[in-house]
Amino acid sequence: MTEAAADPVTTLLQQATVDRLRDLELFSRLRVEGLYAGESPSPQRGFSTDFLQHRQYFPGDNLRYLDWKVMARTGRLFIKEFEKITNTTMTVVLDTSGSMGFYAHGMSKLEFAVRCAAMLLYLMFMQHDRFALHLFDSDAVQRIRPGGSRNHLHRIFERLVQLKPAHATRFEACFRHVEEQLPRKGLVVVFSDFMDNAAVIAKALGRMRLRGNDIIAFKVFDPAELDFNFVDFTRFRDMENSELIPVDPSVIREEYRRQFQEHQLALQAECLAHGLDLMVLPVGDDYEAVMGEYLRRRMAFML
Amino acid sequence: MMFLHPYILWLLPLAAAAIVLYIIFRRRQTIVSWGATFILRLALASGRRQSLWKQIIVVALRTVFLLLLLLAFARPFRVWTQEQATRAFPHGPGTLHRVILLDNTLSMNARHGIQTRFDAARTALEALLVDMRPGDTCHIIPLCPWEPGGRIVPQTVSVPIAPRQIQSLAQKMKPVSGDMDFSAALRAA
């Protein structure tokens, strides 16, 4: 993924993908806190075009928003309140630990996640929203602050194409770190293989959710990891700490598959319990279709 | 226990091939970088003891299978005494002791159709021997000594006996020149 001379945007996104993105939208399902006028609802009430509610007039309120018709009918003074529409900030949190470097055919989990993240980032750029990038592995979290310009998009994409998976993952510490760095309520999109205790992961993400962020968790896995189609005795090298695990695959294959499915189900249940949106992404060539399908579903839910 | 093909027993050490292959493949493990080692550890932790037993059982079953296969090729059999047979199968038929008097004089060379009288007697003898069950015995007594001037010696056949052996035994019998000594044969019987 090191193409120094090439444009990072075209490296990660083909023109056809960008064209398809024009039909899609990604908004927060929760009220977000933005800086500028945008298309996401804010928890703050303002005075714009979308009527929200009436409230009693108090001396000092701007008479411009007094509802004269209501006053004429009832003789009481009411102020019209409108919903403040603001822009949102999407924070992409990307797991760059060693396990994300696994690949069976062509694309690694990290490369796949990077392409999916690039799609979302470009979508936010087209929506004139702000976006930030957080990369984490063991303890360290690298961060690119929120921004919304084309230069900012280029900066993030440049960082994405240079990524190399390394180190172990400590979800709890890293998510806590990310949580502390989130400037305001917004949309948080996490790409990871979530190879840890499902309850711990969901709890850490749930804390971000409790602070008012809309969380979308993308679990990336390679179908070969689920199939576990090995016959001979094999030493499996842990990609995070290089430890060798000798295994007779034929003996534990069923148990392994069961544990894999159970982990996925547990993660789904925990995410549901914490109000998180979990999407499972199997690595493949059709990442555009998978992400497009998800975004369309989410748009339908929002309507 | 006895074997029809005892030389196959020399191949019994081959049954250990399953164990040897198991050890060789264990040593020749390939190394694969794996992303989902967290799941792998969970699977191992939940079934480590079970998986070890499974491995041992699989190797043991393969070894036993090879052993049984080789033993089957060696064709084991057991000679039962009448007492053992009666104990094992209390309601089964008892063992038989047959005495067959075989006319082996030259007059048996007289031809009837496509075969001689002796051929017909030999075929009947073979049929009788084939019908014998484990524990049965049979004495074949020639009416004329096989060697000129010799004595009448009963030939004992006990089961089990391979059909090939029955055939070769019958083929060896041929009419001989000499007088029939019926009373000596009966005495021998």
Side-chain angles (χ1 to χ4, degrees):
Chain A
M1 288 178 70
T2 52
E3 294 180 38
D7 178 9
V9 176
T10 51
T11 306
L12 292 176
L13 293 177
Q14 294 171 346
Q15 188 54 44
T17 312
V18 172
D19 290 342
R20 266 180 228 128
L21 281 175
R22 291 186 202 287
D23 301 331
L24 300 169
E25 290 175 329
L26 176 61
F27 296 117
S28 170
R29 287 197 278 224
L30 307 174
R31 293 177 179 278
V32 297
E33 294 171 347
L35 292 178
Y36 311 114
E39 296 185 51
S40 302
S42 164
Q44 293 153 4
R45 291 181 201 112
F47 298 97
S48 60
T49 53
D50 288 357
F51 175 74
L52 181 66
Q53 62 182 13
H54 279 110
R55 74 163 168 80
Q56 192 184 350
Y57 168 81
F58 290 105
D61 281 343
N62 193 341
L63 291 177
R64 188 176 153 197
Y65 298 108
L66 196 66
D67 194 331
W68 297 102
K69 289 178 185 171
V70 172
M71 193 193 79
R73 277 202 302 270
T74 62
R76 296 170 67 186
L77 300 177
F78 283 98
I79 290 286
K80 283 195 284 188
E81 281 191 339
F82 297 87
E83 190 167 47
K84 184 179 175 184
I85 303 296
T86 184
N87 70 336
T88 186
T89 302
M90 181 183 77
T91 306
V92 171
V93 182
L94 187 58
D95 179 0
T96 61
S97 63
S99 64
M100 288 290 282
F102 175 79
Y103 67 93
H105 312 289
M107 205 185 291
S108 73
K109 289 194 281 187
L110 182 62
E111 285 169 331
F112 184 80
V114 160
R115 277 171 170 76
C116 294
M119 275 182 74
L120 295 184
L121 286 164
Y122 200 86
L123 187 60
M124 297 308 275
F125 167 71
M126 288 198 301
Q127 286 178 194
H128 306 292
D129 284 322
R130 287 155 60 83
F131 39 89
L133 178 67
H134 289 248
L135 306 170
F136 72 95
D137 42 52
S138 51
D139 286 328
V141 176
Q142 297 173 45
R143 175 191 181 203
I144 297 181
R145 289 168 180 279
S149 66
R150 182 170 284 277
N151 281 344
H152 186 71
L153 184 74
H154 269 258
R155 195 160 53 245
I156 286 184
F157 274 32
E158 267 172 12
R159 186 73 190 90
L160 286 178
V161 292
Q162 289 164 0
L163 282 180
K164 284 200 170 65
H167 309 300
T169 333
R170 286 182 59 202
F171 287 99
E172 203 173 4
C174 290
F175 287 159
R176 190 183 292 273
H177 199 71
V178 171
E179 180 194 338
E180 286 164 2
Q181 291 186 334
L182 290 176
R184 52 185 64 83
K185 290 175 189 174
L187 187 60
V188 179
V189 181
V190 186
F191 286 94
S192 174
D193 53 7
F194 296 120
M195 282 297 154
D196 203 345
N197 188 298
V200 171
I201 292 168
K203 193 177 169 191
L205 287 173
R207 267 202 306 272
M208 278 194 258
R209 172 70 182 78
L210 283 176
R211 289 182 65 164
N213 296 293
D214 189 3
I215 314 286
I216 308 172
F218 286 103
K219 177 181 166 44
V220 184
F221 77 98
D222 196 301
E225 287 180 312
L226 173 60
D227 295 342
F228 200 62
N229 280 333
F230 293 91
V231 179
D232 298 331
F233 285 98
T234 310
R235 284 178 199 226
F236 291 94
R237 177 182 282 128
D238 190 331
M239 296 179 79
E240 300 196 345
N241 58 18
S242 297
E243 187 190 338
L244 288 174
I245 309 169
V247 170
D248 182 355
S250 59
V251 174
I252 67 152
R253 185 175 296 118
E254 290 308 313
E255 178 63 17
Y256 173 88
R257 286 177 183 164
R258 195 181 64 78
Q259 290 286 350
F260 200 100
Q261 301 279 11
E262 265 187 17
H263 180 258
Q264 204 142 296
L265 289 174
L267 197 62
Q268 276 167 348
E270 291 286 343
C271 284
L272 193 66
H274 286 86
L276 314 171
D277 201 1
L278 178 75
M279 172 78 183
V280 177
L281 293 180
V283 174
D285 296 329
D286 57 343
Y287 64 95
E288 291 171 31
V290 176
M291 290 300 288
E293 174 62 27
Y294 171 73
L295 290 171
R296 255 175 235 112
R297 223 159 11 102
R298 193 176 163 93
M299 280 163 64
F301 181 81
M302 297 286 286
L303 289 174
Chain B
M1 187 180 287
M2 297 166 76
F3 296 90
L4 283 182
H5 307 297
Y7 52 89
I8 290 181
L9 296 180
W10 287 104
L11 299 176
L12 276 183
L14 281 181
I19 300 168
V20 173
L21 285 175
Y22 176 83
I23 292 167
I24 287 173
F25 279 111
R26 249 194 111 86
R27 283 170 178 270
R28 284 178 50 198
Q29 292 161 1
T30 48
I31 295 178
V32 174
S33 292
W34 196 245
T37 43
F38 172 72
I39 305 290
L40 197 59
R41 285 199 181 89
L42 283 182
L44 284 172
S46 68
R48 184 175 285 276
R49 189 179 295 271
Q50 194 187 357
S51 74
L52 184 67
W53 272 109
K54 272 187 186 169
Q55 286 180 30
I56 291 170
I57 288 169
V58 166
V59 173
L61 282 176
R62 285 173 187 164
T63 309
V64 168
F65 173 75
L66 283 175
L67 267 175
L68 291 177
L69 195 69
L70 287 168
L71 285 175
F73 276 120
R75 299 189 67 181
F77 65 87
R78 184 179 172 193
V79 180
W80 285 27
T81 61
Q82 187 165 3
E83 189 187 349
Q84 284 170 329
T86 312
R87 208 183 312 133
F89 306 102
H91 303 295
T95 54
L96 276 180
H97 180 204
R98 289 188 173 93
V99 177
I100 299 170
L101 295 177
L102 181 67
D103 184 356
N104 57 340
T105 54
L106 284 176
S107 62
M108 290 293 278
N109 273 338
R111 187 167 286 278
H112 287 276
I114 56 166
Q115 60 178 2
T116 62
R117 289 175 185 170
F118 196 81
D119 288 338
R122 193 192 283 143
T123 309
L125 174 70
E126 276 182 34
L128 275 173
L129 291 179
V130 166
D131 272 355
M132 285 168 69
R133 290 191 304 260
D136 287 357
T137 50
C138 177
H139 284 100
I140 303 166
I141 302 168
L143 294 184
C144 174
W146 292 112
E147 289 164 15
R151 280 192 317 119
I152 290 177
V153 180
Q155 186 157 6
T156 310
V157 178
S158 54
V159 172
I161 182 168
R164 197 155 35 89
Q165 284 173 296
I166 293 174
Q167 249 179 355
S168 71
L169 179 75
Q171 292 301 325
K172 271 192 267 181
M173 295 178 180
K174 286 194 169 63
V176 293
S177 63
D179 297 331
M180 179 168 37
D181 190 352
F182 203 79
S183 56
L186 283 178
R187 271 200 306 278

